[in-house]
Coordinates of all heavy atoms in Angstrom, one line a residue:
S1 N 104.2 122.4 111.7 CA 103.2 121.3 111.8 C 101.8 121.7 112.0 O 101.0 121.0 112.5 CB 103.7 120.3 112.9 OG 103.7 121.0 114.1
V2 N 101.5 123.0 111.7 CA 100.2 123.5 111.7 C 99.9 124.1 110.3 O 100.7 124.7 109.7 CB 100.0 124.6 112.8 CG1 98.6 125.2 112.7 CG2 100.3 124.1 114.1
F3 N 98.7 123.8 109.8 CA 98.2 124.4 108.6 C 96.8 124.8 108.7 O 96.1 124.4 109.5 CB 98.6 123.6 107.3 CG 97.7 122.3 107.2 CD1 96.8 122.3 106.1 CD2 97.9 121.2 108.0 CE1 96.0 121.1 106.0 CE2 97.1 120.1 107.8 CZ 96.2 120.0 106.8
T4 N 96.4 125.8 107.8 CA 95.1 126.4 107.9 C 94.4 126.2 106.5 O 94.4 127.2 105.7 CB 95.2 127.9 108.3 OG1 96.1 128.5 107.3 CG2 95.8 128.0 109.6
P5 N 93.7 125.1 106.3 CA 93.1 124.9 105.0 C 91.7 125.7 104.9 O 90.7 125.1 105.0 CB 92.9 123.4 104.9 CG 92.8 123.0 106.4 CD 93.7 123.9 107.1
N6 N 91.8 127.0 104.7 CA 90.6 127.8 104.7 C 90.5 128.6 103.3 O 89.7 129.5 103.3 CB 90.6 128.8 105.8 CG 91.9 129.7 105.9 OD1 92.6 129.7 104.9 ND2 92.0 130.4 106.9
A7 N 91.2 128.1 102.3 CA 91.1 128.7 101.0 C 91.5 130.1 100.9 O 91.0 130.8 100.0 CB 89.7 128.4 100.4
D8 N 92.4 130.6 101.7 CA 92.8 132.0 101.6 C 94.1 132.1 100.8 O 94.7 133.2 100.6 CB 93.0 132.7 103.0 CG 94.1 132.1 103.8 OD1 94.7 131.1 103.4 OD2 94.3 132.6 104.9
G9 N 94.6 131.0 100.4 CA 95.9 131.0 99.6 C 97.1 131.0 100.4 O 98.2 131.0 99.8
I10 N 97.0 131.0 101.7 CA 98.2 131.0 102.6 C 98.1 129.8 103.5 O 97.2 129.6 104.2 CB 98.2 132.3 103.5 CG1 98.2 133.5 102.6 CG2 99.4 132.3 104.4 CD1 97.9 134.8 103.3
N11 N 99.2 128.9 103.4 CA 99.3 127.7 104.3 C 98.1 126.8 104.2 O 97.6 126.3 105.2 CB 99.5 128.2 105.7 CG 100.2 127.2 106.5 OD1 101.0 126.4 106.1 ND2 100.0 127.3 107.8
D12 N 97.5 126.6 103.0 CA 96.3 125.8 102.8 C 96.5 124.3 102.8 O 95.6 123.6 102.9 CB 95.5 126.3 101.6 CG 94.8 127.6 101.8 OD1 94.5 127.9 102.9 OD2 94.6 128.3 100.8
T13 N 97.8 123.9 102.6 CA 98.1 122.5 102.5 C 99.2 122.2 103.5 O 100.0 123.1 103.8 CB 98.5 122.0 101.1 OG1 99.6 122.8 100.7 CG2 97.3 122.2 100.2
W14 N 99.3 121.0 103.9 CA 100.4 120.5 104.8 C 101.5 120.0 103.8 O 101.4 118.9 103.3 CB 99.9 119.4 105.7 CG 101.0 118.9 106.6 CD1 101.9 119.6 107.3 CD2 101.3 117.5 106.8 NE1 102.7 118.7 108.0 CE2 102.4 117.4 107.7 CE3 100.7 116.3 106.4 CZ2 102.9 116.2 108.2 CZ3 101.2 115.1 106.8 CH2 102.3 115.1 107.7
E15 N 102.5 120.8 103.6 CA 103.6 120.5 102.8 C 104.8 120.1 103.6 O 105.2 120.9 104.5 CB 103.9 121.6 101.8 CG 102.7 121.9 100.9 CD 103.1 122.8 99.7 OE1 104.3 122.7 99.3 OE2 102.3 123.6 99.3
I16 N 105.4 119.0 103.3 CA 106.6 118.5 104.0 C 107.7 118.8 103.0 O 107.9 118.1 102.0 CB 106.5 117.0 104.3 CG1 105.2 116.8 105.1 CG2 107.7 116.6 105.1 CD1 104.9 115.3 105.3
Y17 N 108.5 119.8 103.3 CA 109.6 120.2 102.5 C 110.7 119.1 102.4 O 111.0 118.4 103.4 CB 110.2 121.5 103.0 CG 109.2 122.6 102.9 CD1 108.6 123.0 104.0 CD2 108.9 123.2 101.7 CE1 107.6 124.0 104.0 CE2 107.9 124.2 101.6 CZ 107.3 124.6 102.7 OH 106.4 125.6 102.7
G18 N 111.1 118.8 101.2 CA 112.1 117.8 100.9 C 111.5 116.5 100.4 O 112.2 115.6 100.0
M19 N 110.2 116.4 100.5 CA 109.6 115.1 100.1 C 109.6 114.9 98.6 O 109.6 113.8 98.1 CB 108.1 115.1 100.6 CG 107.9 115.0 102.1 SD 108.4 113.4 102.7 CE 106.9 112.5 102.5
G20 N 109.8 116.0 97.9 CA 109.9 115.9 96.4 C 111.2 115.1 95.9 O 111.3 114.7 94.8
F21 N 112.1 115.0 96.8 CA 113.3 114.2 96.5 C 113.1 112.7 96.5 O 114.0 112.0 96.0 CB 114.5 114.5 97.5 CG 114.9 116.0 97.4 CD1 114.7 116.8 98.5 CD2 115.5 116.5 96.3 CE1 115.1 118.1 98.4 CE2 116.0 117.8 96.2 CZ 115.7 118.6 97.3
Y22 N 112.0 112.3 97.0 CA 111.7 110.8 97.1 C 110.5 110.5 96.1 O 109.5 111.3 96.1 CB 111.3 110.4 98.5 CG 112.4 110.8 99.5 CD1 112.4 112.0 100.2 CD2 113.5 110.0 99.6 CE1 113.4 112.3 101.1 CE2 114.6 110.3 100.5 CZ 114.5 111.5 101.2 OH 115.5 111.8 102.1
N23 N 110.6 109.5 95.4 CA 109.6 109.2 94.4 C 108.7 108.0 94.7 O 107.8 107.6 94.0 CB 110.1 109.0 93.0 CG 111.2 107.9 92.9 OD1 111.3 107.2 93.9 ND2 111.8 107.8 91.8
N24 N 108.9 107.4 95.9 CA 108.1 106.3 96.3 C 107.7 106.4 97.8 O 108.0 105.5 98.6 CB 108.8 105.0 96.0 CG 107.9 103.8 96.2 OD1 106.7 103.8 96.1 ND2 108.6 102.6 96.4
V25 N 107.0 107.4 98.1 CA 106.7 107.7 99.5 C 105.3 107.2 99.9 O 104.4 107.4 99.1 CB 106.7 109.3 99.8 CG1 106.3 109.6 101.2 CG2 108.1 109.8 99.5
D26 N 105.2 106.6 101.1 CA 103.9 106.3 101.6 C 103.6 107.2 102.8 O 104.4 107.2 103.8 CB 103.9 104.8 102.1 CG 104.0 103.8 100.9 OD1 103.6 104.2 99.8 OD2 104.5 102.7 101.2
L27 N 102.6 107.9 102.8 CA 102.2 108.8 103.9 C 100.8 108.5 104.3 O 99.9 108.4 103.4 CB 102.3 110.3 103.4 CG 101.6 111.3 104.3 CD1 102.3 111.5 105.6 CD2 101.6 112.7 103.6
Q28 N 100.6 108.3 105.6 CA 99.2 108.1 106.1 C 99.0 109.0 107.2 O 99.9 109.3 108.0 CB 99.1 106.6 106.6 CG 99.3 105.6 105.5 CD 99.3 104.2 106.1 OE1 99.8 104.0 107.1 NE2 98.7 103.3 105.3
V29 N 97.8 109.6 107.3 CA 97.4 110.5 108.3 C 96.1 109.9 109.0 O 95.2 109.5 108.4 CB 97.1 111.9 107.8 CG1 96.6 112.8 108.9 CG2 98.3 112.5 107.1
F30 N 96.2 109.9 110.4 CA 95.1 109.3 111.2 C 94.5 110.4 112.1 O 95.2 111.2 112.6 CB 95.7 108.2 112.0 CG 96.3 107.1 111.2 CD1 97.6 107.1 110.8 CD2 95.5 106.0 110.8 CE1 98.2 106.2 110.1 CE2 96.1 105.0 110.0 CZ 97.4 105.1 109.7
N31 N 93.2 110.2 112.4 CA 92.6 111.1 113.4 C 92.9 110.5 114.8 O 93.5 109.4 114.9 CB 91.1 111.3 113.1 CG 90.3 110.0 113.2 OD1 90.7 109.0 113.8 ND2 89.1 110.1 112.6
R32 N 92.4 111.1 115.8 CA 92.7 110.7 117.2 C 92.0 109.3 117.6 O 92.4 108.7 118.6 CB 92.2 111.7 118.2 CG 90.7 112.0 118.2 CD 90.4 113.0 119.2 NE 89.2 113.8 118.7 CZ 88.8 114.9 119.2 NH1 89.4 115.4 120.2 NH2 87.8 115.5 118.6
W33 N 91.1 108.8 116.7 CA 90.5 107.5 117.0 C 91.2 106.5 116.1 O 90.8 105.3 116.1 CB 89.0 107.6 116.6 CG 88.3 108.5 117.5 CD1 87.9 108.3 118.8 CD2 87.9 109.8 117.2 NE1 87.3 109.4 119.3 CE2 87.3 110.4 118.4 CE3 88.0 110.6 116.1 CZ2 86.7 111.7 118.4 CZ3 87.4 111.9 116.2 CH2 86.8 112.4 117.3
G34 N 92.2 106.8 115.4 CA 93.0 105.8 114.7 C 92.5 105.6 113.3 O 92.9 104.7 112.6
Q35 N 91.5 106.4 112.8 CA 90.9 106.2 111.5 C 91.8 106.9 110.5 O 92.2 108.1 110.7 CB 89.5 106.7 111.4 CG 88.5 106.0 112.3 CD 87.2 106.8 112.4 OE1 87.2 108.0 112.6 NE2 86.1 106.1 112.2
M36 N 92.2 106.3 109.4 CA 93.0 106.9 108.4 C 92.1 107.9 107.6 O 91.1 107.5 107.1 CB 93.6 105.9 107.4 CG 94.6 106.6 106.5 SD 95.5 105.5 105.4 CE 94.5 104.2 105.1
V37 N 92.6 109.2 107.6 CA 91.8 110.2 106.9 C 92.5 110.7 105.6 O 91.9 111.4 104.8 CB 91.5 111.4 107.8 CG1 90.6 111.0 109.0 CG2 92.8 112.1 108.3
Y38 N 93.7 110.3 105.5 CA 94.5 110.7 104.3 C 95.6 109.7 104.0 O 96.2 109.2 104.9 CB 95.1 112.1 104.4 CG 95.8 112.5 103.2 CD1 95.1 112.9 102.1 CD2 97.2 112.5 103.1 CE1 95.8 113.3 100.9 CE2 97.9 112.9 102.0 CZ 97.2 113.3 100.9 OH 97.8 113.7 99.8
E39 N 95.8 109.4 102.7 CA 96.9 108.5 102.3 C 97.4 109.0 100.9 O 96.7 109.4 100.0 CB 96.4 107.1 102.2 CG 97.5 106.1 101.8 CD 97.0 104.7 101.8 OE1 95.8 104.4 101.5 OE2 97.8 103.8 102.2
S40 N 98.7 109.0 100.8 CA 99.4 109.4 99.6 C 100.4 108.3 99.4 O 101.3 108.0 100.2 CB 100.1 110.8 99.7 OG 100.8 111.0 98.6
E41 N 100.4 107.7 98.2 CA 101.3 106.6 97.9 C 102.0 106.9 96.6 O 101.4 107.4 95.6 CB 100.6 105.3 97.7 CG 100.0 104.8 99.0 CD 99.3 103.4 98.8 OE1 98.4 103.4 97.8 OE2 99.5 102.5 99.5
G42 N 103.3 106.7 96.5 CA 104.1 107.0 95.3 C 104.6 108.4 95.4 O 105.3 108.8 96.4
E43 N 104.3 109.2 94.4 CA 104.7 110.6 94.4 C 103.9 111.4 95.5 O 102.7 111.3 95.6 CB 104.4 111.3 93.0 CG 104.8 112.7 92.9 CD 104.6 113.2 91.5 OE1 104.5 112.5 90.6 OE2 104.4 114.5 91.4
Y44 N 104.6 112.1 96.3 CA 104.0 112.9 97.4 C 103.1 113.9 97.0 O 103.3 114.7 96.1 CB 105.2 113.5 98.3 CG 104.7 114.5 99.3 CD1 103.9 114.1 100.4 CD2 105.0 115.8 99.1 CE1 103.5 115.0 101.3 CE2 104.5 116.7 100.1 CZ 103.8 116.3 101.2 OH 103.4 117.2 102.1
V45 N 101.9 113.9 97.6 CA 100.8 114.9 97.3 C 100.5 115.6 98.7 O 100.1 114.9 99.6 CB 99.6 114.3 96.7 CG1 98.5 115.3 96.5 CG2 99.9 113.6 95.4
P46 N 100.7 116.9 98.8 CA 100.4 117.6 100.1 C 98.9 117.4 100.5 O 98.1 117.4 99.6 CB 100.7 119.0 99.8 CG 101.7 119.0 98.6 CD 101.3 117.8 97.8
W47 N 98.7 117.3 101.8 CA 97.3 117.1 102.3 C 96.7 118.5 102.4 O 97.2 119.4 102.9 CB 97.4 116.5 103.6 CG 96.1 116.1 104.3 CD1 95.0 115.7 103.6 CD2 95.8 116.1 105.6 NE1 93.9 115.5 104.5 CE2 94.4 115.7 105.7 CE3 96.5 116.4 106.8 CZ2 93.8 115.6 107.0 CZ3 95.8 116.3 108.0 CH2 94.5 115.9 108.1
D48 N 95.4 118.5 101.9 CA 94.6 119.8 102.0 C 93.6 119.8 103.1 O 92.7 120.7 103.1 CB 94.0 120.0 100.6 CG 93.0 118.9 100.2 OD1 92.8 118.0 101.0 OD2 92.4 119.0 99.1
G49 N 93.7 118.9 104.0 CA 92.7 118.9 105.1 C 91.4 118.2 104.8 O 90.5 118.2 105.7
V50 N 91.3 117.6 103.7 CA 90.0 116.9 103.3 C 90.2 115.4 103.5 O 91.3 114.9 103.0 CB 89.6 117.3 101.8 CG1 88.4 116.4 101.4 CG2 89.4 118.7 101.7
S51 N 89.3 114.8 104.1 CA 89.3 113.3 104.2 C 89.1 112.7 102.9 O 88.2 113.0 102.2 CB 88.3 112.8 105.2 OG 88.2 111.4 105.2
K52 N 90.0 111.8 102.6 CA 89.9 111.0 101.3 C 88.9 109.9 101.4 O 88.5 109.3 100.5 CB 91.3 110.5 100.9 CG 92.3 111.5 100.6 CD 91.8 112.6 99.7 CE 92.8 113.7 99.5 NZ 92.3 114.9 98.9
L53 N 88.4 109.6 102.7 CA 87.4 108.6 102.9 C 86.0 109.0 102.5 O 85.2 108.3 101.9 CB 87.5 108.0 104.3 CG 88.8 107.5 104.7 CD1 88.8 107.1 106.2 CD2 89.2 106.3 103.9
N54 N 85.7 110.2 103.0 CA 84.3 110.7 102.8 C 84.3 112.1 102.1 O 83.2 112.7 102.0 CB 83.5 110.7 104.1 CG 84.2 111.6 105.1 OD1 85.1 112.4 104.8 ND2 83.9 111.4 106.4
D55 N 85.4 112.6 101.7 CA 85.5 113.9 101.0 C 85.0 115.1 101.8 O 84.5 116.0 101.2 CB 84.8 113.8 99.6 CG 85.4 114.8 98.6 OD1 86.6 115.1 98.7 OD2 84.6 115.3 97.8
N56 N 85.1 115.0 103.1 CA 84.7 116.1 104.0 C 85.9 116.8 104.6 O 87.0 116.2 104.8 CB 83.9 115.6 105.2 CG 82.5 115.1 104.8 OD1 82.0 115.6 103.8 ND2 82.0 114.1 105.5
N57 N 85.8 118.1 104.8 CA 86.8 118.8 105.5 C 87.0 118.2 106.9 O 86.0 118.0 107.6 CB 86.5 120.3 105.7 CG 86.6 121.0 104.3 OD1 87.4 120.7 103.5 ND2 85.9 122.1 104.2
Q58 N 88.2 118.1 107.3 CA 88.5 117.6 108.7 C 88.4 118.7 109.7 O 88.7 119.9 109.4 CB 89.9 116.9 108.8 CG 90.0 115.7 107.9 CD 89.0 114.6 108.4 OE1 89.1 114.0 109.5 NE2 88.0 114.4 107.6
E59 N 88.0 118.4 110.9 CA 87.8 119.4 111.9 C 89.1 119.9 112.5 O 90.2 119.3 112.3 CB 87.0 118.8 113.0 CG 87.6 117.6 113.7 CD 86.7 116.9 114.7 OE1 85.5 116.7 114.4 OE2 87.2 116.6 115.8
I60 N 89.0 121.0 113.2 CA 90.2 121.5 113.9 C 90.6 120.5 114.9 O 89.8 120.1 115.8 CB 89.9 122.8 114.6 CG1 89.5 123.9 113.6 CG2 91.0 123.3 115.5 CD1 89.0 125.2 114.2
A61 N 91.8 120.0 114.8 CA 92.3 118.9 115.7 C 93.8 118.6 115.3 O 94.3 119.1 114.4 CB 91.5 117.6 115.5
T62 N 94.3 117.8 116.2 CA 95.7 117.2 115.9 C 95.5 115.9 115.3 O 94.7 115.0 115.7 CB 96.5 117.2 117.2 OG1 96.6 118.5 117.7 CG2 97.9 116.6 116.9
Y63 N 96.3 115.6 114.2 CA 96.3 114.4 113.5 C 97.7 113.8 113.6 O 98.7 114.5 113.8 CB 95.9 114.6 112.0 CG 94.5 115.1 111.9 CD1 94.2 116.5 112.1 CD2 93.4 114.3 111.7 CE1 92.9 116.9 112.0 CE2 92.1 114.7 111.7 CZ 91.9 116.1 111.8 OH 90.6 116.5 111.8
Y64 N 97.8 112.5 113.4 CA 99.0 111.8 113.5 C 99.4 111.1 112.2 O 98.6 110.5 111.5 CB 98.9 110.7 114.6 CG 98.5 111.4 115.9 CD1 97.1 111.5 116.2 CD2 99.4 112.0 116.7 CE1 96.7 112.2 117.3 CE2 99.0 112.7 117.8 CZ 97.6 112.8 118.1 OH 97.2 113.5 119.3
Y65 N 100.7 111.3 111.8 CA 101.1 110.8 110.5 C 102.2 109.7 110.7 O 102.9 109.6 111.7 CB 101.6 111.9 109.6 CG 102.9 112.6 110.2 CD1 104.1 112.1 109.9 CD2 102.8 113.8 110.9 CE1 105.3 112.7 110.4 CE2 103.9 114.4 111.4 CZ 105.1 113.9 111.1 OH 106.2 114.5 111.6
V66 N 102.3 108.8 109.6 CA 103.3 107.9 109.5 C 103.8 108.0 108.1 O 103.1 108.0 107.1 CB 102.8 106.4 109.7 CG1 103.9 105.4 109.5 CG2 102.2 106.3 111.1
I67 N 105.2 108.1 108.0 CA 105.8 108.3 106.7 C 106.8 107.2 106.5 O 107.6 106.9 107.3 CB 106.5 109.6 106.5 CG1 105.6 110.8 106.7 CG2 107.3 109.7 105.2 CD1 106.3 112.1 106.8
N68 N 106.7 106.5 105.3 CA 107.7 105.5 104.9 C 108.3 106.0 103.6 O 107.6 106.1 102.6 CB 107.1 104.1 104.8 CG 108.1 103.1 104.5 OD1 109.2 103.3 104.0 ND2 107.7 101.8 104.7
L69 N 109.6 106.3 103.6 CA 110.2 106.8 102.3 C 110.6 105.6 101.4 O 111.0 105.9 100.2 CB 111.5 107.6 102.7 CG 111.3 108.8 103.5 CD1 112.6 109.4 103.9 CD2 110.4 109.8 102.8
N70 N 110.5 104.4 101.9 CA 110.8 103.2 101.1 C 112.2 103.2 100.5 O 112.5 102.7 99.4 CB 109.8 103.1 99.9 CG 108.4 102.7 100.4 OD1 108.2 101.8 101.2 ND2 107.4 103.5 100.0
I71 N 113.1 103.7 101.3 CA 114.5 103.6 101.0 C 115.3 102.8 102.0 O 116.4 102.4 101.8 CB 115.2 105.0 100.8 CG1 115.1 105.8 102.1 CG2 114.7 105.7 99.6 CD1 115.8 107.1 102.0
D72 N 114.7 102.5 103.2 CA 115.2 101.7 104.2 C 114.1 101.2 105.1 O 112.9 101.4 104.7 CB 116.3 102.5 105.1 CG 115.7 103.8 105.7 OD1 114.5 103.9 105.8 OD2 116.5 104.7 106.0
D73 N 114.3 100.6 106.2 CA 113.3 100.1 107.1 C 112.7 101.1 108.1 O 111.9 100.7 108.9 CB 113.8 98.8 107.8 CG 114.0 97.7 106.9 OD1 113.4 97.6 105.8 OD2 114.8 96.8 107.2
K74 N 113.1 102.3 108.0 CA 112.7 103.4 108.9 C 111.3 103.9 108.5 O 111.0 104.1 107.4 CB 113.6 104.5 108.9 CG 114.9 104.3 109.7 CD 115.7 105.6 109.7 CE 116.9 105.5 110.6 NZ 117.6 106.7 110.7
T75 N 110.5 104.2 109.6 CA 109.3 105.0 109.4 C 109.4 106.2 110.3 O 110.1 106.2 111.3 CB 108.0 104.2 109.8 OG1 108.1 103.8 111.1 CG2 107.8 103.0 108.9
Y76 N 108.8 107.3 109.9 CA 108.8 108.5 110.6 C 107.4 108.8 111.0 O 106.4 108.6 110.2 CB 109.4 109.6 109.7 CG 110.8 109.3 109.2 CD1 110.9 108.6 108.1 CD2 111.9 109.7 110.0 CE1 112.2 108.2 107.6 CE2 113.2 109.3 109.5 CZ 113.3 108.6 108.4 OH 114.6 108.3 107.9
N77 N 107.2 109.3 112.2 CA 105.9 109.7 112.7 C 105.9 110.9 113.5 O 106.9 111.4 114.0 CB 105.2 108.5 113.4 CG 106.1 108.1 114.6 OD1 106.3 108.9 115.5 ND2 106.5 106.8 114.6
G78 N 104.7 111.5 113.7 CA 104.6 112.7 114.4 C 103.2 113.2 114.3 O 102.2 112.5 114.0
S79 N 103.0 114.5 114.6 CA 101.6 115.1 114.6 C 101.6 116.3 113.7 O 102.6 117.0 113.5 CB 101.2 115.4 116.0 OG 102.0 116.4 116.6
V80 N 100.4 116.6 113.2 CA 100.1 117.8 112.5 C 98.8 118.3 112.9 O 97.9 117.5 113.2 CB 100.2 117.6 110.9 CG1 99.2 116.5 110.5 CG2 100.0 118.8 110.1
T81 N 98.6 119.6 113.0 CA 97.4 120.2 113.5 C 96.7 121.1 112.4 O 97.4 121.8 111.7 CB 97.7 121.1 114.7 OG1 98.3 120.3 115.7 CG2 96.4 121.7 115.3
I82 N 95.4 120.9 112.3 CA 94.6 121.8 111.5 C 94.0 122.9 112.3 O 93.4 122.6 113.4 CB 93.5 121.0 110.8 CG1 94.0 120.0 109.8 CG2 92.4 121.9 110.1 CD1 93.0 119.2 109.0
K83 N 94.1 124.1 111.8 CA 93.6 125.3 112.5 C 92.9 126.0 111.4 O 93.4 126.3 110.3 CB 94.7 126.1 113.1 CG 94.1 127.3 113.9 CD 95.3 128.0 114.6 CE 94.8 129.1 115.4 NZ 95.8 129.8 116.1
R84 N 91.6 126.4 111.6 CA 90.9 127.1 110.5 C 90.6 128.5 110.9 O 90.5 128.9 112.0 CB 89.6 126.4 110.2 CG 89.8 125.0 109.6 CD 88.5 124.4 109.1 NE 88.8 123.0 108.7 CZ 89.1 122.6 107.5 NH1 89.3 123.5 106.5 NH2 89.3 121.4 107.2

């Protein structure tokens, strides 16, 4: 749950293994103030640490995610940390 998006080719994206088995995934990532900084709908796209709202690199911090696989009423949540 830690990734290092520093363009060194190692661990540059937050990849959730097994997500490729689902074709209608909703993933949202929020900063500590509750602002959504990333969203992926449909086919899962790994997060590269860039905010989709303003196209800026996100700071070193812990972020909170919500995942809905859209196969039942369950949602999954937790945290992911960016370290540069």
Side-chain angles (χ1 to χ4, degrees):
S1 61
V2 175
F3 71 109
T4 57
N6 56 10
D8 67 354
I10 301 168
N11 204 27
D12 285 332
T13 58
W14 178 48
E15 296 197 33
I16 305 171
Y17 297 102
M19 293 290 275
F21 294 114
Y22 304 96
N23 58 7
N24 190 23
V25 174
D26 294 330
L27 167 66
Q28 298 173 324
V29 179
F30 301 88
N31 64 19
R32 63 180 147 193
W33 297 283
Q35 297 168 313
M36 185 171 37
V37 296
Y38 181 74
E39 182 174 33
S40 175
E41 295 178 308
E43 185 178 332
Y44 169 67
V45 177
W47 184 34
D48 61 3
V50 174
S51 172
K52 299 307 178 196
L53 301 176
N54 57 19
D55 206 30
N56 290 331
N57 287 332
Q58 293 299 291
E59 62 186 44
I60 295 171
T62 298
Y63 295 84
Y64 304 93
Y65 64 84
V66 177
I67 299 172
N68 185 342
L69 299 176
N70 291 310
I71 57 173
D72 54 23
D73 291 334
K74 284 186 171 182
T75 58
Y76 303 88
N77 57 60
S79 62
V80 59
T81 302
I82 290 179
K83 184 176 181 179
R84 294 189 189 270

